[in-house]
Amino acid sequence: MPNRPFVLAFIAKCERSFSLAPEERAAIERLPVRIEYVAADRPIVRQGDKPSQSSMILKGIACTSITLASGRRQISAFHIQQDFPDLLSLHLRTMDSDMVALTECKIASIEHVVLRAFCTENPRLCAFLWHLTLVDAAIYRQWVANVGQRSAEQRVAHLLCELAARMRVVGMADGSTYPFHLTQTDLSEATGISTVHMNRSLQSLRARKLISLQKGVLTIPDDRALRKAGDFSADYLHQAEPLRA
Amino acid sequence: MPNRPFVLAFIAKCERSFSLAPEERAAIERLPVRIEYVAADRPIVRQGDKPSQSSMILKGIACTSITLASGRRQISAFHIQQDFPDLLSLHLRTMDSDMVALTECKIASIEHVVLRAFCTENPRLCAFLWHLTLVDAAIYRQWVANVGQRSAEQRVAHLLCELAARMRVVGMADGSTYPFHLTQTDLSEATGISTVHMNRSLQSLRARKLISLQKGVLTIPDDRALRKAGDFSADYLHQAEPLRA
DNA sequence: CGCCTGCTTGACCTCGCTCAAGGCCCGTGG
DNA sequence: CCACGGGCCTTGAGCGAGGTCAAGCAGGCG
C-alpha cells in the first residue's frame, strides 16, 4: 500500500470540511497514485507544460512562480503538505506559471483521466476539489493586496502569519514554533521586495520581538501581535468552513 | 423570455471553448435567472456575505476589491460582460472580498441550489465553470507578478493589454478602440500606485504614442508595442483553449 | 450658477532599491 | 584535518522611483 500516506492525508483534509461517506472514502482509497520525489530547486511543472496529472504534496515545500522578461521572479504562492499545487491543470490545459520545489518534496501524482472520472462519480468530492482551487484563488487575491498596498515589514508579517496558519491546520506547528526552510531570497520574491530590504525587515521584526527565525525554525511568541503588525486576518483561508454541496 | 440575453451570452462563452451538446444547450436555456441592475459604486456582494446565488455580468464593469485596515483599497480583479465574478461563492461560503460595480451593471443571478443541480447533471458544464474560476486565479497570479515586480508604467501597460484582450473576445472592441469607463483612481487601486503617479504614467504612455485615452474611449494604435511596453503575453488568459472533460 | 468628481501639475520627501563588500556556515576534495 | 568554494545572511552608502501634500482646472449635473 504505497499510497497510504496520500490516502490518509486526503481523508484528513476532507474531514476538516465535511464527513466522508463510506463510498467516498472507498473511492479515495481506490485512487491510483504514483509517489515521486523532487529535489530542491527542481521544477515540478513548468510554464508551457501540458500536464496529464495533478499532484498532492506529502512532504516539503514548493512554490508557484512567474519569471518576467526582465529575469525578475515573482513567487505567487507557497505550497505545503496536503496542498494540491497543480490541481488547476485538471481544467487548464497549459500551465501559465512554474511550480518548483523549494526543498526536497515528496509528491503523490494522479492521472487527470482518473481524477475526472472520480469527479463525475463523486459530486461532493468534485465540489471539494473545486473548493480547494477557490481557496488558492482567495490567497492570490490577498497577495495582490499585500504586495500592492502594504509596507515591506507588514508584507513579511502578513506572509509569515499566513504560512503559520496553514501549517497549523496540517499539524506542522509545535506550540508556537514552525519548521521553516525558506531563504530570505524566497521571501523577498514572494513579497516583491529586494533581498537586502527583506533582511532588514526581518531584523526589525526580530527587534520588535514579533518573530525569531533561526536554523530552520520560526517562532512566533505572540501570535496576536504579529497578526496586528501584518494586518492579518485568517478569514480568507476559509479553513474551517463546512462544505455545502 | 427575460433570460434571453443571459442564455445567449452563456452559450457564446461556452462555444468559444467547446461545442455544446443539444441537451447541454437545453439545460442552459432552462436555467432560471433573475435580472438585476446595480448602480455605479454600489456593492454586488460584500466581504463577509454568504450569498445564495452567483451572477453573470451582462453589461457594465465591476471589480473585486479588498479594503485594508489602513483604509487603502486594492482592486484585485476587473469583471466585464460575460464574466461570473462571484461564481466562487458557489463553493466558498463566506466572501473574503468585496465585489462592487464600477459603472452601472446589468447582472443575471442564479440560485446556488439550481447551479449545483446543473453541475451534477452536466459534468462538462461543471468542468467549464470550474475552468472559469481557474482562469480568474491565473489572472490573480499574473497581477501578483505585475504589482510585485514591474515599474509603474509597465504595470499600467500590462493592465490595459489585459483589459483589451478580454474585451476583444467578448466583442467589445471596435478595431483598435475600446469602451473605457474606469477612472484613474480605479486604475491606481488596481496597480498599487498612487493616483498622482498613475496620471503621470498614463501621460508617459500617451507621449510614447502607445495609447490614447479620452471620453470613455481607449485607443491602442499599436498593439504589439503596448504589449512589449507592458511585458504582456495573453497566454495566462487561456482564451482559446479547448475544454478537456 | 455652483458644486462635485475626476484630471493635472508642482514641490518635496522617503521608502526601498542597487551596488558593493564582508562574514558565516557547511559540504567537498586534497 | 584543513583549505577552498559556494550558499546565504548581513551591513554600509548613495540614489531614485514613486509617495504625499497642496492647489488649480475642467466638465457634467442638480
Side-chain angles (χ1 to χ4, degrees):
Chain A
M1 276 297 146
N3 66 344
R4 208 65 213 162
F6 164 75
V7 169
L8 291 178
F10 195 4
I11 289 180
K13 192 174 181 80
C14 291
E15 298 225 303
R16 255 177 261 136
S17 290
F18 64 108
S19 302
L20 287 165
E23 321 82 72
E24 289 171 334
R25 185 181 292 250
I28 292 172
E29 300 197 335
R30 245 182 283 119
L31 276 175
V33 307
R34 189 167 25 146
I35 302 297
E36 285 168 73
Y37 292 84
V38 183
D41 286 318
R42 295 265 141 217
I44 298 175
V45 272
R46 282 209 295 248
Q47 194 191 120
D49 283 358
K50 300 183 194 295
S52 61
Q53 47 184 34
S54 289
S55 34
M56 180 196 253
I57 295 185
L58 298 178
K59 213 181 288 174
I61 183 158
C63 76
T64 298
S65 70
I66 292 179
T67 304
L68 306 192
S70 62
R72 290 159 145 279
R73 188 168 90 136
Q74 175 70 44
I75 291 178
S76 52
F78 288 118
H79 310 285
I80 63 173
Q81 37 180 275
Q82 298 192 9
D83 284 344
F84 281 94
D86 57 351
L87 186 52
L88 51 93
S89 66
L90 186 60
H91 293 299
L92 238 36
R93 192 196 277 275
T94 312
M95 293 293 297
D96 53 66
S97 34
D98 296 319
M99 286 201 27
V100 354
L102 293 173
T103 66
E104 192 192 32
C105 285
K106 179 184 179 189
I107 65 180
S109 304
I110 313 174
E111 290 294 322
H112 284 163
V113 254
V114 173
L115 222 36
R116 289 207 184 85
F118 177 82
C119 279
T120 37
E121 284 154 25
N122 303 279
R124 260 194 352 158
L125 290 167
C126 175
F128 181 62
L129 290 178
W130 187 348
H131 163 89
L132 294 179
T133 63
L134 293 171
V135 173
D136 290 342
I139 297 178
Y140 293 136
R141 275 194 287 281
Q142 213 60 228
W143 279 42
V144 172
N146 202 35
V147 171
Q149 302 295 347
R150 285 194 256 258
S151 70
E153 213 169 314
Q154 287 180 305
R155 291 185 211 181
V156 185
H158 192 275
L159 174 57
L160 295 179
C161 285
E162 180 191 302
L163 285 170
R166 290 169 56 197
M167 288 197 215
R168 215 172 303 119
V169 312
V170 296
M172 293 175 77
D174 176 13
S176 58
T177 70
Y178 307 82
F180 202 86
H181 299 283
L182 298 175
T183 65
Q184 294 188 4
T185 306
D186 296 333
L187 293 174
S188 69
E189 287 179 338
T191 47
I193 65 189
S194 68
T195 22
V196 172
H197 203 60
M198 172 55 69
N199 183 283
R200 301 202 228 260
S201 303
L202 287 171
Q203 278 179 55
S204 165
L205 289 175
R206 277 192 272 245
R208 292 166 64 193
K209 309 272 185 224
L210 293 172
I211 60 166
S212 99
L213 182 51
Q214 58 208 288
K215 291 221 282 171
V217 180
L218 168 69
T219 309
I220 301 178
D222 181 351
D223 218 65
R224 184 134 347 137
L226 187 62
R227 282 167 189 245
K228 194 168 168 207
D231 184 25
F232 178 86
S233 152
D235 300 341
Y236 72 93
L237 295 175
H238 300 267
Q239 283 178 330
E241 254 180 27
L243 184 72
R244 298 187 306 167
Chain B
M1 274 298 147
N3 66 346
R4 208 65 214 161
F6 163 76
V7 169
L8 292 178
F10 195 5
I11 289 180
K13 193 176 181 76
C14 291
E15 298 227 302
R16 254 177 264 136
S17 289
F18 64 107
S19 303
L20 287 165
E23 321 81 72
E24 288 171 334
R25 186 181 291 250
I28 292 172
E29 300 198 336
R30 246 182 282 118
L31 275 175
V33 307
R34 189 166 28 143
I35 302 297
E36 284 169 74
Y37 292 83
V38 184
D41 287 319
R42 295 265 142 215
I44 298 175
V45 273
R46 282 210 294 252
Q47 192 190 120
D49 283 358
K50 299 182 195 296
S52 62
Q53 46 184 36
S54 289
S55 34
M56 179 195 254
I57 295 184
L58 298 178
K59 215 181 286 173
I61 183 157
C63 75
T64 299
S65 70
I66 293 178
T67 304
L68 306 193
S70 62
R72 291 159 144 278
R73 187 168 89 137
Q74 175 72 42
I75 291 178
S76 52
F78 288 117
H79 309 286
I80 65 173
Q81 37 179 275
Q82 298 193 10
D83 285 344
F84 282 92
D86 57 349
L87 186 51
L88 51 91
S89 66
L90 186 61
H91 293 299
L92 237 36
R93 192 197 277 275
T94 312
M95 291 294 297
D96 53 67
S97 34
D98 295 319
M99 285 202 25
V100 354
L102 293 174
T103 67
E104 192 192 32
C105 285
K106 180 183 179 189
I107 65 180
S109 303
I110 312 173
E111 290 294 322
H112 284 164
V113 254
V114 175
L115 223 36
R116 290 206 184 86
F118 177 82
C119 279
T120 36
E121 283 154 27
N122 303 279
R124 257 192 357 157
L125 289 167
C126 175
F128 182 62
L129 290 178
W130 187 349
H131 165 88
L132 294 179
T133 63
L134 293 172
V135 173
D136 290 343
I139 297 178
Y140 293 135
R141 275 194 288 281
Q142 212 60 228
W143 281 41
V144 173
N146 202 34
V147 172
Q149 302 294 346
R150 283 195 258 259
S151 71
E153 214 169 313
Q154 287 180 305
R155 290 184 212 183
V156 185
H158 192 276
L159 175 57
L160 294 179
C161 286
E162 180 191 303
L163 286 171
R166 290 168 56 196
M167 288 197 214
R168 216 172 302 121
V169 311
V170 297
M172 293 175 76
D174 176 12
S176 57
T177 71
Y178 307 83
F180 202 85
H181 299 282
L182 298 174
T183 66
Q184 294 188 3
T185 306
D186 296 333
L187 292 174
S188 69
E189 287 179 339
T191 45
I193 65 190
S194 68
T195 21
V196 172
H197 203 61
M198 173 54 71
N199 184 282
R200 301 202 227 260
S201 303
L202 286 171
Q203 278 180 55
S204 164
L205 290 175
R206 276 193 272 247
R208 292 166 65 192
K209 310 272 185 224
L210 293 172
I211 60 166
S212 99
L213 181 51
Q214 57 208 288
K215 293 222 278 167
V217 180
L218 167 68
T219 308
I220 301 177
D222 181 352
D223 217 66
R224 184 134 346 136
L226 187 62
R227 283 167 190 245
K228 193 168 168 205
D231 185 24
F232 178 85
S233 153
D235 301 340
Y236 72 94
L237 296 174
H238 299 267
Q239 283 179 330
E241 253 179 27
L243 183 73
R244 296 186 308 166

